[in-house]
Amino acid sequence: MELQGQFNLGTEEKRFVKGSILHVIYKNSETYYTVLKIETKDTNLAEMEKELIVVGTFPVLLEDETYIFWGDVKDHPKYGKQFVVEFYRKDLPRTEDGMVLYLSSDLFSGIGKKTAEKVIKSLGEDAFTRIIEDPKVLNDVPDLNEEKAKTIYETLMEHQGLEQLLSTLHRYGIGPSIAMKIYQTYQGEAISIIQSNPYQLIYDIDGVGFKRADEIGQALGIEEASSERIQAGLLYCLKELSNQHGHTYIPVEDLIQESKSLLFTKPVLEEEVDFYTEIVQLHGDGKVYIEDENAYLPSLYFSEFGFIKTIERVLKQGDYDRIEQSDFYTALGSLEEQYGMEYAEAQKDAILRAITSSMMILTGGPGTGKTTVIKGIIEVYAEIHGVSLDPKDYEDGEFPFLLVAPTGRAAKRMSESTGIPAVTIHRLLGWKGGSGFEYDEDNPIKGRLLIIDEMSMVDLRLAYRLFDALPEDIQIVMVGDEDQLPSVGPGQVLKDLIASNVIPTVKLDQIYRQAQGSTIVQLAHEMKEGRLPSDLQSPQPDRRFFPCSQEQASQAVLQVCKSALAKGFTARDVQVLAPMYRGKAGIDELNRELQLMFNPPSDQKREIDYFDTKYRVGDKVLQLVNVPEEQIFNGDIGEIVSIIYAKETKDKEEQIVISFDGIEVTFKKTDLNQITHAYCCSIHKSQGSEFPIVVLPIVRGYYRMLRRNLIYTAVTRSKEYLIICGEMDAFERAVQQNDAGSRNSLLDEKLKKRINSTQTSENV
């Protein structure tokens, strides 16, 4: 297969400018975004200006060289007239004499005129294209040694190959930014990899989906029913269904049906495409794992297997019944006396089970005392075992208590409520980004009691990584609300662990003193039962319901926030939560409106543009990805404290400084895809956090997102005051919809089978 006519792009119909580079005004060394001035030599624009400003993505440019740029003229509101480039190439010599002259220039070290003539004579007028596509063609040149052949290929790749790749990919609708990712991933092998298997782009390059890769495949002449295309479709569907819908496996029959819809526009006969054979081949290649007619991504299958194996190991430690009951009640009574309180029977039972079990689950809704129990577990454990709660008392650093949560904000809350340091799971495991975790089975973490909060947010892969790194003889307490949303990643770990009935579980369902006066907590518990309180629309001390239509919802939210501002609250105190991004009452539109209200433009506030978004000093922003080296994680909320303009930096690039609870992190402009405004955020992103005031719009336009666990999660984020704006029937529908988005998972069944079979064999 060959890519034909890399430079035959229909360019005669496009606007172009041909010119030599006078000087580079600005260039970003990471993204290659460049602003330059050229001397115009030719163009098909209506008017030819002597000099022109050209902007675009240019990885390789040589001053004084002539280039042809295709694109269009745009008027920038700040910088004026610019020629915005879609693709470009160097104005290569087209005659044999010109090609010989170019190849024997100083650009190609050690290549003289005679060698250049032999190369061009042997390979013809498309010599450069042939060499870039396959350097082995240089073997056909008589008396050309390996060193010179290498010089010719590498120099051509450096100065022409990238331009050729950009031009080639432009034909298939792939812009410069993704083309640069392709080049940075594959380097000089980019074109050969695309030629041999364009579907590889799906797995290696963010931003390239099946349809885009398939367009390239069709242009290369890959047959519709070819194995490489069918396997790519199967694997793509498996990854999408797993990662987008949270499934740990897909039944083979379902996977085949989904893949048929993706691969073929009309029905396909089984004899034309043997999907089963292709799946077996994927299994043989280690790309898919098949068990009992179910297809797994290998990472999910082996995470599930490893997680079950580790739970079995921990449970085999048995109960810690060496603790005397009298010692327990003495320590508990001392604690109650110290704090002037009395634990309820269910709470006492939870603390006792945690102290005497190798593993325990503590679950319950808001206001049921989970935090109180966690604190009790820690302090009673310390009293019984005679260990200090002060980390400073441990010179060896082996503090016995490990407190973790999936997000930074949840870890911070845990630390504040217990007085014990708490960290994210990633930080505990020493996550090093692409190179994995520092701690694992061979290098376990050190500790004696592990407490995991917000366990409902932990997906299967992360659960396995955490449990894989646990030492021998550690006790584990998992805490979470099983009625909240499941993890963003595949799996429903907490739900499955509870359903398996192999781990001691204490469920707190009584609302205790500190929450008895909270109508927010009462509302949440009514919702769990599929009901709404009769006084929902009546004003309460800590919640209100403002009826409004979908068209009025955004204005109602703004009015509520404006009222909060007038009462002295800040943007940090008020969190708007919404289920969807699009629409008038969607996250994107609400963020634009709320930014203008909470942080309006001012001559005293610096701001910068990032595509269609403005960021200014004082903005509340949300972190979208994990950056462990900076100790910030997906879901963390920060504030822009400084903006540094390009002329003030060494690399001439704008920067933003964001404070995440005192941790200041500097973002280059190219990193701003990692953040977004946080005046309004998704309910999923709010998991693990609490806010003084939550404003929740609920309208019929959110139809497909109106589910009980989603709205329940939003309601339980409110710490002091909840304001609901919207349509009563939409809220009622959400509470009645108890379809939590069913996920394919067999963790509970496999765990039950594994533990029960082990216990049976031990009793024989």
Side-chain angles (χ1 to χ4, degrees):
M1 294 176 289
E2 292 185 0
L3 292 170
Q4 299 293 334
Q6 282 83 356
F7 299 125
N8 181 21
L9 307 172
T11 52
E12 68 279 355
E13 299 175 2
K14 293 184 176 289
R15 296 173 182 266
F16 78 89
V17 175
K18 178 179 176 180
S20 58
I21 299 171
L22 294 174
H23 66 273
V24 175
I25 299 171
Y26 167 79
K27 182 168 185 175
N28 183 298
S29 59
E30 294 183 5
T31 64
Y32 300 104
Y33 177 80
T34 309
V35 180
L36 52 92
K37 181 180 283 189
I38 67 168
E39 180 182 359
T40 309
K41 295 184 176 180
D42 190 17
T43 183
N44 63 356
L45 298 176
E47 298 180 6
M48 187 170 88
E49 299 184 14
K50 185 177 180 181
E51 295 180 354
L52 189 62
I53 299 296
V54 172
V55 299
T57 302
F58 308 123
V60 180
L61 284 174
L62 298 173
E63 293 197 17
D64 300 324
E65 292 284 354
T66 300
Y67 292 85
I68 304 174
F69 305 97
W70 285 271
D72 207 352
V73 175
K74 301 285 176 66
D75 277 319
H76 191 282
K78 186 174 181 180
Y79 300 110
K81 188 176 182 181
Q82 298 177 336
F83 189 82
V84 181
V85 176
E86 294 180 17
F87 57 96
Y88 78 110
R89 67 168 170 82
K90 191 174 181 294
D91 189 28
L92 290 170
R94 303 193 181 190
T95 65
E96 287 194 7
D97 288 344
M99 294 171 72
V100 168
L101 188 64
Y102 176 71
L103 197 56
S104 58
S105 67
D106 292 341
L107 209 59
F108 295 82
S109 178
I111 307 300
K113 187 175 180 181
K114 287 186 178 180
T115 301
E117 287 175 341
K118 283 193 291 185
V119 171
I120 302 306
K121 184 176 180 181
S122 298
L123 302 181
E125 61 182 16
D126 60 347
F128 296 157
T129 298
R130 293 181 63 192
I131 294 168
I132 289 170
E133 289 184 353
D134 182 9
K136 292 179 182 178
V137 299
L138 288 168
N139 296 337
D140 299 334
V141 179
D143 303 321
L144 183 68
N145 64 44
E146 186 177 339
E147 185 178 345
K148 287 185 177 181
K150 184 180 179 183
T151 297
I152 291 171
Y153 172 69
E154 290 182 349
T155 306
L156 275 175
M157 280 304 303
E158 180 182 355
H159 296 284
Q160 308 300 332
L162 188 49
E163 297 168 17
Q164 183 166 332
L165 175 66
L166 291 171
S167 298
T168 298
L169 294 176
H170 183 270
R171 296 172 58 198
Y172 308 111
I174 296 179
S177 60
I178 294 180
M180 279 308 306
K181 289 182 184 178
I182 294 172
Y183 179 75
Q184 289 165 345
T185 301
Y186 299 139
Q187 296 293 320
E189 298 180 352
I191 289 180
S192 62
I193 288 174
I194 292 169
Q195 286 180 343
S196 60
N197 183 14
Y199 299 102
Q200 190 63 37
L201 297 173
I202 301 169
Y203 316 116
D204 297 339
I205 312 297
D206 288 338
V208 177
F210 179 83
K211 290 185 178 180
R212 185 69 59 82
D214 201 33
E215 289 174 6
I216 301 175
Q218 290 175 15
L220 288 166
I222 294 177
E223 294 182 4
E224 191 177 41
S226 66
S227 287
E228 59 192 308
R229 182 173 183 268
I230 301 302
Q231 290 182 21
L234 285 163
L235 193 50
Y236 178 78
C237 281
L238 180 57
K239 287 188 174 183
E240 285 294 294
L241 290 169
S242 298
N243 294 326
Q244 297 298 321
H245 299 282
H247 301 309
T248 56
Y249 71 88
I250 307 298
V252 168
E253 283 296 333
D254 293 350
L255 178 60
I256 289 174
Q257 293 306 316
E258 287 286 339
S259 300
K260 284 180 179 179
S261 300
L262 174 72
L263 292 163
F264 303 103
T265 56
K266 54 186 179 181
V268 58
L269 299 176
E270 295 297 336
E271 56 266 26
E272 294 175 358
V273 179
D274 188 345
F275 282 92
Y276 292 97
T277 297
E278 303 298 350
I279 290 175
V280 169
Q281 183 62 52
L282 285 169
H283 176 80
D285 292 340
K287 296 178 180 178
V288 172
Y289 198 90
I290 304 297
E291 180 185 75
D292 298 332
E293 297 298 314
N294 294 322
Y296 293 78
L297 290 173
S299 64
L300 291 174
Y301 180 83
F302 290 109
S303 290
E304 182 181 75
F305 178 83
F307 185 48
I308 292 171
K309 184 179 176 183
T310 309
I311 289 176
E312 180 186 29
R313 172 175 65 81
V314 175
L315 289 175
K316 275 185 176 180
Q317 295 171 188
D319 289 340
Y320 288 69
D321 51 11
R322 53 184 174 270
I323 295 174
E324 296 290 339
Q325 291 275 323
S326 59
D327 290 341
F328 169 75
Y329 284 108
T330 298
L332 186 67
S334 176
L335 184 62
E336 289 177 324
E337 185 176 341
Q338 178 184 348
Y339 291 106
M341 60 169 290
E342 183 179 354
Y343 285 104
E345 287 304 315
Q347 292 176 318
K348 290 179 182 179
D349 180 44
I351 296 172
L352 178 60
R353 286 208 188 192
I355 299 297
T356 58
S357 303
S358 58
M359 186 182 298
M360 190 201 83
I361 297 172
L362 176 66
T363 185
T368 56
K370 295 192 299 295
T371 300
T372 303
V373 171
I374 292 173
K375 188 172 177 63
I377 291 169
I378 294 168
E379 300 209 19
V380 171
Y381 183 98
E383 179 68 22
I384 289 176
H385 293 281
V387 296
S388 171
L389 292 171
D390 189 347
K392 295 178 182 177
D393 292 337
Y394 298 84
E395 293 182 2
D396 57 5
E398 293 187 18
F399 191 55
F401 302 101
L402 302 175
L403 274 60
V404 298
T407 68
R409 292 182 67 83
K412 184 181 179 183
R413 275 190 17 242
M414 196 179 186
S415 182
E416 290 171 346
S417 63
T418 62
I420 301 294
V423 297
T424 63
I425 296 173
H426 284 83
R427 185 172 181 181
L428 178 71
L429 296 178
W431 192 46
K432 299 178 290 186
S435 55
F437 294 95
E438 178 181 353
Y439 297 102
D440 55 23
E441 182 181 14
D442 298 323
N443 181 32
I445 55 180
K446 296 178 180 179
R448 293 168 57 180
L449 176 64
L450 170 69
I451 301 179
I452 313 162
D453 200 8
E454 298 289 353
M455 189 66 192
S456 63
M457 295 177 64
V458 180
D459 64 42
L460 180 60
R461 292 188 182 103
L462 186 58
Y464 163 64
R465 289 294 185 183
L466 175 58
F467 277 60
D468 185 52
L470 296 181
E472 299 289 341
D473 296 325
I474 191 169
Q475 291 178 257
I476 304 167
V477 178
M478 292 173 277
V479 184
D481 185 345
E482 61 181 318
D483 294 304
Q484 281 191 29
L485 289 168
S487 57
V488 174
Q492 47 188 24
V493 175
L494 179 63
K495 181 179 179 181
D496 283 344
L497 291 179
I498 294 172
S500 72
N501 289 317
V502 301
I503 300 171
T505 300
V506 175
K507 185 171 183 177
L508 302 176
D509 51 18
Q510 181 180 342
I511 301 174
Y512 294 104
R513 290 183 223 164
Q514 62 269 36
Q516 284 177 351
S518 170
T519 69
I520 299 172
V521 170
Q522 293 168 357
L523 168 61
H525 283 268
E526 292 267 6
M527 290 173 63
K528 285 172 62 173
E529 302 301 322
R531 303 187 301 267
L532 286 175
S534 58
D535 63 356
L536 179 63
Q537 297 189 67
S538 302
Q540 301 296 324
D542 58 353
R543 65 170 164 83
R544 292 288 299 272
F545 185 99
F546 290 110
C548 61
S549 67
Q550 183 168 327
E551 291 72 24
Q552 299 168 327
S554 61
Q555 286 305 309
V557 168
L558 290 169
Q559 189 59 45
V560 167
C561 293
K562 186 177 180 180
S563 176
L565 268 179
K567 292 177 181 178
F569 292 100
T570 68
R572 292 287 289 183
D573 301 320
V574 182
Q575 186 59 58
V576 181
L577 300 178
M580 297 177 67
Y581 283 87
R582 296 180 181 177
K584 290 184 177 180
I587 295 167
D588 294 335
E589 184 61 32
L590 284 170
N591 262 323
R592 279 188 281 271
E593 298 288 344
L594 289 166
Q595 182 198 26
L596 288 173
M597 190 193 72
F598 280 116
N599 191 29
S602 164
D603 292 339
Q604 282 73 49
K605 294 178 183 176
R606 290 188 170 197
E607 62 180 41
I608 65 171
D609 294 322
Y610 183 71
F611 294 101
D612 59 348
T613 302
K614 284 188 183 294
Y615 289 107
R616 66 178 61 99
V617 172
D619 270 344
K620 179 180 174 182
V621 293
L622 178 76
Q623 180 70 16
L624 299 174
V625 297
N626 294 322
V627 187
E629 57 271 22
E630 298 285 0
Q631 292 307 314
I632 54 173
F633 297 87
N634 185 355
D636 285 351
I637 291 177
E639 180 181 333
I640 297 176
V641 294
S642 177
I643 290 176
I644 306 168
Y645 292 138
K647 62 183 178 182
E648 300 167 345
T649 65
K650 289 182 179 179
D651 56 5
K652 303 299 179 186
E653 185 176 3
E654 292 171 310
Q655 298 176 354
I656 285 181
V657 181
I658 302 174
S659 174
F660 294 93
D661 293 322
I663 300 174
E664 291 194 355
V665 181
T666 300
F667 290 76
K668 294 182 178 179
K669 191 170 184 178
T670 51
D671 298 327
L672 295 188
N673 61 338
Q674 297 180 11
I675 65 168
T676 187
H677 282 121
Y679 300 104
C680 178
C681 72
S682 72
I683 297 169
H684 283 86
K685 292 289 185 185
S686 73
Q687 277 187 278
S689 300
E690 283 186 347
F691 310 97
I693 300 174
V694 166
V695 183
L696 177 62
I698 299 183
V699 293
R700 285 187 290 268
Y702 297 151
Y703 184 84
R704 63 186 182 87
M705 299 295 287
L706 294 178
R707 299 194 309 271
R708 184 189 301 172
N709 65 344
L710 184 76
I711 306 305
Y712 171 83
T713 300
V715 166
T716 55
R717 298 309 90 205
S718 178
K719 194 174 182 181
E720 298 173 11
Y721 212 89
L722 171 69
I723 301 99
I724 302 167
C725 305
E727 298 163 320
M728 188 63 184
D729 60 341
F731 198 4
E732 289 174 341
R733 172 182 168 77
V735 172
Q736 291 163 6
Q737 291 295 316
N738 197 27
D739 173 16
S742 179
R743 295 185 171 193
N744 296 338
S745 174
L746 295 172
L747 175 63
D748 58 337
E749 294 181 20
K750 290 182 177 182
L751 186 57
K752 188 184 301 183
K753 183 177 180 181
R754 177 75 174 251
I755 300 303
N756 289 341
S757 64
T758 300
Q759 291 174 345
T760 301
S761 63
E762 289 176 350
N763 292 331
V764 173

